[in-house]
Amino acid sequence: MNTHFRSRASFLGTVTAFLILVAPLAAQENVGSLVDEQLSVPNVSALPAPSERVGEYADVNGARIFYQAAGDGPALLLLHGYPLSGAMFGRVRAALEDDWTVITVDHRGYGLSDAPDVPNSIEVYAEDALAVLDHLGIEQAAIGGMSMGGPIALSMYQMAPERFSGMILIDTTAGSAGPPEAGLWRGVETVISENGLAPIMPALIPDMLTGVTRLNEPEYAEYLTDIMQGATDAAGRGGAIALAERPDFTDMLGEIEVPALVMVGIEDALYAVSVSRDMADAIPESTLAILPGGSHAAVFEAAGHAAAAIQDWGETLQ
């Protein structure tokens, strides 16, 4: 089954690349820029084990959501992708906490969060994240999402745009899943139902990290694998369904009235640079930042560049 899923995971990258090539492109006015600056970030070996992070819990919407909130300055809420946890932001948060109050959450069923039911819609995750802000008494924040976290952030904006001081979209897409991608995610749900999450973890790593990083710095893959091991099978199934059935937020991009930062790893094969460029072109006030040395998990892999991009963009919000 593991070999079967590896072929399906490769197929996702192929399908995504094909759709990018044949889809009509926007005006391409926002060509973006490669982020040259880097902030100092911890080595992966210096991060706490994902299961040993210290934080707090919020009981919201029938779930027990783990979150970490630390730093000094305006609120910055970061939402992780599938099937990860807030631990993936550990490197960037260390570089940003002098100027931001950085908040990360583990979506229900992921990492250190608990949930009694299978979460199977983007809206459920969005409602949870808004409830955590309520729990913390935070009226407004810059809200960013990586991969699956992108549609979650967009869903939050659709529900409560007044809660946003800015938006960050990281290696993600605003579009719904077309038939090939939706079929793949439903296949993932079937694999997890029959065999659990373990078979899909090694299949996801090649899309998360560049080949250079996987070859020369194996601790990156080991840490991401440790993060994924915190997800329950129910969360893995629900997240796959949520991704297969996610809403299409493309038409909403032009209605976003807060500054947006669109970040993408230069080697992201799932949601490539052209996808991020199209989103940035559609958002009225946007900045496109391309992260060198990063693939789909660029905010973890190229954390120094990601932190620098967020810091530079954040200065425009003042």
Side-chain angles (χ1 to χ4, degrees):
M1 184 64 69
N2 191 20
T3 302
H4 171 70
F5 186 79
R6 283 178 182 272
S7 66
R8 292 180 67 86
S10 299
F11 173 67
L12 176 57
T14 302
V15 167
T16 303
F18 173 76
L19 292 175
I20 291 166
L21 287 173
V22 301
L25 297 178
Q28 303 292 324
E29 294 177 358
N30 194 334
V31 296
S33 62
L34 204 63
V35 179
D36 295 325
E37 183 184 357
Q38 291 194 66
L39 297 186
S40 177
V41 297
N43 293 328
V44 173
S45 59
L47 297 175
S51 61
E52 296 176 0
R53 289 170 295 147
V54 176
E56 304 291 339
Y57 287 89
D59 294 318
V60 299
N61 303 331
R64 192 166 187 251
I65 303 297
F66 175 83
Y67 68 88
Q68 292 179 292
D72 186 21
L76 170 64
L77 172 64
L78 297 173
L79 306 169
H80 66 82
Y82 177 91
L84 300 163
S85 77
M88 70 168 300
F89 297 114
R91 302 182 75 208
V92 295
R93 73 176 303 139
L96 296 173
E97 286 179 350
D98 285 345
D99 299 288
W100 298 86
T101 299
V102 183
I103 306 154
T104 56
V105 301
D106 292 359
H107 302 311
R108 56 172 61 205
Y110 297 87
L112 299 175
S113 292
D114 299 319
D117 301 315
V118 176
N120 58 8
S121 76
I122 293 297
E123 291 82 3
V124 171
Y125 300 122
E127 290 167 355
D128 287 347
L130 287 169
V132 170
L133 290 180
D134 291 340
H135 172 82
L136 290 169
I138 294 173
E139 295 183 2
Q140 195 173 65
I143 300 174
M146 173 265 178
S147 194
M148 183 177 77
I152 296 170
L154 290 165
S155 181
M156 292 171 69
Y157 189 84
Q158 190 174 60
M159 295 175 184
E162 72 280 0
R163 306 300 294 271
F164 284 71
S165 61
M167 181 183 295
I168 308 175
L169 300 173
I170 311 166
D171 289 284
T172 190
T173 178
S176 59
E181 185 187 351
L184 182 133
W185 287 120
R186 293 190 177 96
V188 170
E189 193 272 336
T190 299
V191 170
I192 297 172
S193 296
E194 296 175 353
N195 298 280
L197 261 169
I200 78 165
M201 295 179 191
L204 293 176
I205 293 296
D207 287 326
M208 294 281 186
L209 301 169
T210 63
V212 170
T213 295
R214 299 198 312 273
L215 177 66
N216 296 328
E217 299 178 277
E219 66 272 19
Y220 283 65
E222 292 166 4
Y223 194 81
L224 287 180
T225 300
D226 287 346
I227 293 176
M228 289 189 280
Q229 288 172 343
T232 65
D233 290 349
R237 291 173 53 215
I241 295 170
L243 285 165
E245 299 178 357
R246 66 180 185 263
D248 189 344
F249 295 104
T250 304
D251 290 343
M252 192 184 78
L253 294 178
E255 301 170 3
I256 294 174
E257 296 180 349
V258 296
L261 172 64
V262 182
M263 293 199 304
V264 60
I266 195 169
E267 296 188 45
D268 190 340
L270 292 181
Y271 302 125
V273 171
S274 57
V275 175
S276 289
R277 181 176 293 135
D278 287 351
M279 288 194 296
D281 284 342
I283 298 171
E285 187 178 349
S286 67
T287 300
L288 175 62
I290 302 168
L291 307 179
S295 185
H296 190 58
V299 72
F300 170 75
E301 183 178 19
H305 292 297
I310 293 172
Q311 194 75 322
D312 288 347
W313 171 78
E315 293 176 359
T316 69
L317 300 183
Q318 305 304 319

